[in-house]
Each structure stands twice: as C-alpha cells, then as structure tokens.
Amino acid sequence: MENVTANKRAYELGGIAIGFLGIPNLGDAIINKKVIEALAILEPNCNIDIICEHERSKIYAKAFFSEHKNFNSIVTVTPNFNQELPKYDLVLYVQCFDIKIFYVNVERLSKLSPALFQSMRQVDIYNKRYMNGKDFGSKALFLMARSRILKTNRYTSLACGGALPIYDNKVTINLLPEWQGEFDKLGLKKYITVGSNGGNFGRHGVKSWPTRYWVEFISLLKSKMPEITVVQSGGNGVEKFENADRHLLGTDLELTKYILKNSLLHVDIEGGPVHLASQLGTKCVVLFGATDVQYYGFSENINIVSEVCSPCLFAWDTDSQCLLGGKEPLCMLSITPQKVFDVTYRYLRSLE
C-alpha cells in the first residue's frame, strides 16, 4: 500500500490500528463516516487508515474523513495488500448494507480495547444471524422491511442491532476555508440547485426522473420566480438541463460542498448529492419512486413519494428496468413537474 498523506501507517504509531476500506460512491462514503465515528467512540485513541482501491475513493476519503481526529492516512491498495492485513488490529469494509470484518487481531484487540472487541463480536454474531448467505438484494429488502418496523434508516441500520453506537443519520461535513474564494468567484446569490438524477452516472435507471420533466419543472419555476437562479450541479458526463441558468458540472468536490451549502434548496432524486446537501444543512426536495423513503429519507427534507408501486428497488433482478414493464419507471412518471414545482414554490415563498 502506498501512503499518500502521511509518513507512517496506523500500525506504526502504537495503540489500536484500524484499516477502513474506502468506497468510490458519494452517498455510501458519507454514510460510512458514521461507522468511523462509532469506532472512535468505542476506542477514542485508535488510529485509522483509509485504504483505497480507486482514485474516487481517495477523493471522498480526503473530503469526508481527513479532518477526523482519529484519521491517520490514506493508503492505496497494492498487490501485497493481504500481507499487510495482520499488521492492523482491525480491518473493516462496509459493503453497502453490512459491515465486513476482513481481519481482527483477537489477542491484541481483546486486551487493549475490550469495548471495541466486544462490539466486533456482536457485529460478527449479527452478520451470521442476518447477513451471511443473503445476496445483495435480499439484504437490502430485509433491512428495509425491518426499518419500517424499527424506524431505522440507512445510517442507523449499520449499528448492526446495537453492536455499534449509531443512533441517528447525522455526520459532520467540513468546508475547507481556502475554497470560499472560489465559491465567491461564481457570483451566486439567490439560487437553488437541481441535481443530475442523483449524480448517479446512469446507475439505478429506475430512480431517474425524465429529463423532460426536469426541463418542465425549471420552466415552471422560472416563470413564477425569475429572481431565482437555477444551478444544475453534478458530475461530468451527466445530461444538461437545457434551461438551467448555470451548469456547474464536474466541479471539485470541495467547491460543490460550498455550492450545496449556500443553496436555498436542493431538488433531486434520492442519491449521494442529497446526502451531502442534507448533511450540510441544506433543505432538499427529494423524489422517491423505487427507493424506500423510510430507509433512505431525511425527515427534515420535503420528500415526495410516488403512489405507484413504491418502493420496488432490489425486488427485481435489474435496476435499469421498471418492474411493471414501463419504458420509463412508472413511479417516477407519476411525480409530475407540477407537483414538484408546487412544493418548491411554497417552500421558497416561505423564506421571504
């Protein structure tokens, strides 16, 4: 593993050394920070390396984890990765819905950090009881069904039945002061941000809202509130909404934080940008069709839930086709531009 931010690995510093595998998806990276925070609660003096296989994982690790007091370094996986595992006391990977324990030094962890050791034992018991043997979709459906009864969500379900101290869906996202000037240069004043279908780069087609709907929604808003600038944010390669006032696509993640933080409102489907905006304190209008609002939603947002067969994500062998056979997801088609405009308009008027 090549160290990219520090001279020493966590296991060279003394104390409990944790390796945490980073992930190249925006929303999951933010959610994973909750697990990092829980580990630090259980072992306040641990040192954590974020181990990354992808360049995007490094970007997210730097953006979301590097300011944490227990963070040590970002390292890159190399062919000898497995040989380095035993040098850590604990190596974890959050595979979307469950926490995988790659390696644990039982003798050291049980002696030096009994609380963390017992927590990992509970995670292992939880996995054997509920997670092991299930495929990806089955895990998702199982957890979402439980969430409706237990009132858990995408964050708190990672507590693994109480094994980890995760009690809410809030994490701290830091803004780097040096990017304030870059944001100021944009000259944005009174604006809302609209997403690019969750910034999902074509994944989860059943979650997407048709581009023509986005265009119609923007037209409705501009006709009633011309003083509001409509900014489309998102990654490179997403389809531009032709009538947005500004297209700030592919901007540095640190600048995107400022753009979302200072937005009057973010409008999007469920996805990574909503997690980021919500954690920054920006209210969102979120369109829920195939995705489960109980599991993925933030209660402080304005969540619009389809009344057509919602939710169905993971109940089908593909996430690119409508379960009912529609050429476009029927759930998302039922959320009309007028409906999204109505709630957006009411909220923006309430700010005056």
Side-chain angles (χ1 to χ4, degrees), residues 39-313:
L39 295 173
I41 291 171
L42 292 165
E43 180 45 65
N45 297 316
C46 68
N47 296 299
I48 302 175
D49 286 343
I50 308 299
I51 303 167
C52 300
E53 296 184 80
H54 309 279
E55 286 303 312
R56 196 180 297 169
S57 302
K58 294 179 185 178
I59 293 172
Y60 295 152
K62 183 179 179 181
F64 304 132
F65 304 145
S66 61
E67 89 293 344
H68 195 277
K69 64 183 181 66
N70 297 87
F71 168 82
N72 177 59
S73 67
I74 299 171
V75 296
T76 302
V77 172
T78 60
N80 67 343
F81 169 65
N82 287 336
Q83 297 174 22
E84 294 207 37
L85 285 179
K87 296 181 180 180
Y88 289 93
D89 297 300
L90 179 66
V91 181
L92 297 177
Y93 172 46
V94 181
Q95 190 180 46
C96 252
F97 302 110
D98 53 335
I99 297 175
K100 300 288 188 182
I101 302 175
F102 268 15
Y103 174 79
V104 58
N105 185 323
V106 173
E107 183 177 354
R108 271 182 54 86
L109 199 62
S110 61
K111 179 179 178 181
L112 299 179
S113 185
L116 182 56
F117 176 71
Q118 289 301 323
S119 175
M120 292 302 102
R121 283 193 61 186
Q122 288 180 263
V123 168
D124 185 55
I125 292 170
Y126 178 88
N127 286 343
K128 288 176 179 176
R129 184 174 182 183
Y130 297 119
M131 298 288 106
N132 294 353
K134 290 185 174 71
D135 60 25
F136 182 86
S138 297
K139 290 176 183 177
L141 293 173
F142 167 78
L143 289 171
M144 289 174 202
R146 285 171 62 89
S147 77
R148 288 190 282 274
I149 304 300
L150 300 177
K151 305 304 180 186
T152 55
N153 56 52
R154 181 69 179 81
Y155 293 77
T156 56
S157 66
L158 289 174
C160 299
L164 290 170
I166 299 176
Y167 308 113
D168 57 42
N169 60 354
K170 307 300 180 187
V171 299
T172 300
I173 304 294
N174 279 11
L175 297 171
L176 296 180
E178 57 265 33
W179 282 92
Q180 178 68 58
E182 294 301 312
F183 173 73
D184 293 341
K185 290 177 184 177
L186 296 175
L188 294 173
K189 301 299 180 183
K190 194 175 182 180
Y191 69 95
I192 71 164
T193 46
V194 295
S196 305
N197 275 326
N200 57 28
F201 303 96
R203 297 184 300 116
H204 301 317
V206 292
K207 294 169 57 176
S208 299
W209 208 41
T211 297
R212 64 186 184 279
Y213 276 26
W214 282 109
V215 171
E216 184 179 344
F217 160 71
I218 294 170
S219 293
L220 288 168
L221 183 65
K222 291 172 70 172
S223 68
K224 289 288 188 180
M225 305 186 79
E227 72 279 11
I228 298 292
T229 298
V230 178
V231 177
Q232 185 183 7
S233 63
N236 286 316
V238 300
E239 186 175 2
K240 290 183 178 180
F241 305 147
E242 59 188 30
N243 56 345
D245 297 304
R246 301 281 294 272
H247 299 98
L248 299 179
L249 304 174
T251 59
D252 190 284
L253 179 57
E254 296 302 330
L255 179 56
T256 298
K257 288 180 186 179
Y258 274 91
I259 294 169
L260 292 175
K261 172 68 175 177
N262 291 281
S263 175
L264 296 173
L265 184 71
H266 181 69
V267 184
D268 212 334
I269 68 166
E270 188 281 320
V274 167
H275 285 271
L276 181 54
S278 299
Q279 299 295 358
L280 289 168
T282 298
K283 199 173 192 70
C284 302
V285 169
V286 192
L287 316 186
F288 283 89
T291 43
D292 190 319
V293 67
Q294 167 65 41
Y295 192 68
Y296 288 101
F298 290 79
S299 59
E300 62 269 29
N301 287 335
I302 303 170
N303 298 311
I304 303 176
V305 181
S306 170
E307 297 178 0
V308 178
C309 70
S310 179
C312 70
L313 192 62

